Amino acid sequence: MDNFFINGIHIFFNFCLMVSIIFLPPFYICQSLRVYIPRYCWLIYAIIYFISVNINYIFETLIFILYFYCIFRFIFKNDRPTSFFYSSYIVLSYDTIHRFFQSILNRLLNFDEIYTYFFDRFIMIRFIEYTIPLVLLILLFNLINLDFEIVKMKAFKNYVYVGNFIFSFMLLSITIWTLILQSNLSVIKIFGPTVALAHFVLFLFLAQYMKSQQRIYEANLEVIRREEENRNLNKFVDKLGDLYEDLRGIRHDFASIISSLEPAIQEKNIDEVSIIYKEVLIKMNRNLQKNEYSAFNLKNIEDLAIRNMLAQSILEAEQYDIQFNCYVSGHISQVNVPMLEMIQILSIMLTNSIESAIISKKPLIEVALYRDKSIVTIVIKNSRNPISLDKRTIWEVGVSSKGEGRGIGLYNLRRLVNRHDNLTLETQIDYDSFTHILKIM
């Protein structure tokens, strides 16, 4: 009975180690790159893993790349070049380090003898063999810190093509080298470390190349942002001149209204007071509700990404005759979200609001920002056509109330928000309005 219990624990321990070998490397890589693959895909991955390790070893790397390619292409709806880059980066980043580490061990140690003498510890040895390269990969990723979202940008496509060419060469080289090993295992100790090192160095070169291009892209994006900020600033300066003329007219009209109201009040002429109210005061109040006056609230926002996106949306709303009301309570300081991602999040939310408000009966967008202790809350509410929407499905790819070929924005919005632990997003769907509540902690 005791032996049965010990054997059971041993089997369970080996099973846990095996699961760690299968899932830990690709799962960590996806998490570090902020790629969140559905759970059922990992179950399929485990099945594919057990199949691939029991067939010809030549096709193992290719099978894994093909599987992740299908995930990015058909589940995440990425284009073909981006899908191949993502899948190759995930598989080859670990594969090159593991092959290099394994080739060194094969040169230093006789693994056949180790597995013979320590067969009961076979899984443990394999776990160490797979874990040390993962630790090295963690250190490498922390140094490189490549942003996968930038790879999707159109301006980055040429660099993706370069990366895919290098990945294709690496995959072909690895396949040919595996064929050579099958026919002559003795060459692994002679040339194994050199070939594995060449693949590893090639991957390092590619990763560093993509990182340098990412820095250049971000620098260019910052230049574009500043140019856009200057253009918006010039537009606001022009508007300030117009608003100054409006205020001069309002000041003159206000003095005239007071002069007109005084005798009417003294004579208790309610009819005349009513006429002044309807024909003058209501018109003056309507003029004071112009979109331009909402822009004055933006001076209380310190975060450039938030301020510039709101300024741009106010100008865009004016072009489409959408009433845009912006309320800022207190001072909004810099938020703890990277500028590029904050721009992407607000761009999706505000663009969706404008597109939805345009086709509504009374186009209206209302934005409110306020700080409660350390939490900044951004509320964006827009009018919409009273079309039935399911709150549970609007986040899926392809679901949209604006026609076919749409429905990517909210899906990407949720992915961007889920990448940060300090962001929460609530959604409220009413009969004729749609509200997003973004909280930044």
Side-chain angles (χ1 to χ4, degrees), residues 406-419:
R406 311 298 293 273
I408 302 296
L410 289 181
Y411 170 78
N412 287 333
L413 175 62
R414 185 174 67 173
R415 289 186 63 198
L416 286 167
V417 171
N418 288 342
R419 289 170 63 173

Side-chain angles (χ1 to χ4, degrees), residues 16 24 34 114 118 125 159 161 220 230 237 240 248 252 269 278 282 321 336 346 364-365 389 408:
C16 292
L24 202 56
R34 296 172 180 173
I114 292 176
F118 300 98
I125 296 171
Y159 309 124
Y161 292 139
N220 292 336
N230 289 333
V237 169
L240 284 176
R248 284 183 60 189
H252 179 270
N269 189 339
K278 292 179 181 179
I282 290 180
D321 294 323
N336 187 25
L346 288 179
L364 172 65
I365 296 176
L389 288 176
I408 302 296

Side-chain angles (χ1 to χ4, degrees), residues 7-61:
N7 289 334
I9 294 177
H10 182 70
I11 293 172
F12 176 76
F13 180 69
N14 286 343
F15 175 78
C16 292
L17 291 178
M18 184 177 297
V19 170
S20 300
I21 291 173
I22 296 171
F23 289 110
L24 202 56
F27 182 78
Y28 168 76
I29 296 171
C30 290
Q31 290 294 313
S32 64
L33 297 173
R34 296 172 180 173
V35 176
Y36 303 104
I37 294 177
R39 293 178 181 176
Y40 68 89
C41 292
W42 289 114
L43 179 60
I44 298 174
Y45 172 81
I47 296 172
I48 293 176
Y49 181 90
F50 283 116
I51 294 174
S52 63
V53 296
N54 288 290
I55 61 175
N56 202 320
Y57 182 68
I58 299 172
F59 305 107
E60 182 177 329
T61 304

Side-chain angles (χ1 to χ4, degrees), residues 222-332:
E222 178 67 14
V223 172
I224 294 172
R225 185 193 64 78
R226 290 186 180 276
E227 291 177 351
E228 182 68 24
E229 183 179 355
N230 289 333
R231 283 194 293 268
N232 289 338
L233 181 61
N234 290 331
K235 291 179 181 179
F236 275 111
V237 169
D238 294 337
K239 285 186 176 297
L240 284 176
D242 296 335
L243 291 175
Y244 175 72
E245 295 298 327
D246 287 347
L247 290 175
R248 284 183 60 189
I250 291 172
R251 184 174 61 182
H252 179 270
D253 293 342
F254 184 74
S256 301
I257 292 169
I258 295 298
S259 300
S260 302
L261 277 175
E262 185 176 359
I265 293 173
Q266 289 177 350
E267 296 175 5
K268 297 182 180 180
N269 189 339
I270 300 301
D271 293 334
E272 188 174 348
V273 172
S274 178
I275 290 172
I276 294 172
Y277 170 76
K278 292 179 181 179
E279 296 185 3
V280 181
L281 290 177
I282 290 180
K283 181 181 178 180
M284 182 181 292
N285 181 65
R286 191 180 300 118
N287 289 334
L288 289 172
Q289 297 301 318
K290 286 183 178 179
N291 292 348
E292 291 93 330
Y293 294 105
S294 292
F296 289 124
N297 281 321
L298 300 184
K299 68 181 180 64
N300 296 322
I301 303 175
E302 181 182 333
D303 191 279
L304 292 178
I306 298 176
R307 187 172 67 190
N308 291 345
M309 288 306 303
L310 287 176
Q312 182 179 333
S313 297
I314 289 173
L315 295 172
E316 188 176 355
E318 183 183 12
Q319 295 176 0
Y320 294 107
D321 294 323
I322 300 173
Q323 183 176 338
F324 195 110
N325 299 328
C326 183
Y327 312 97
V328 181
S329 177
H331 178 75
I332 307 297

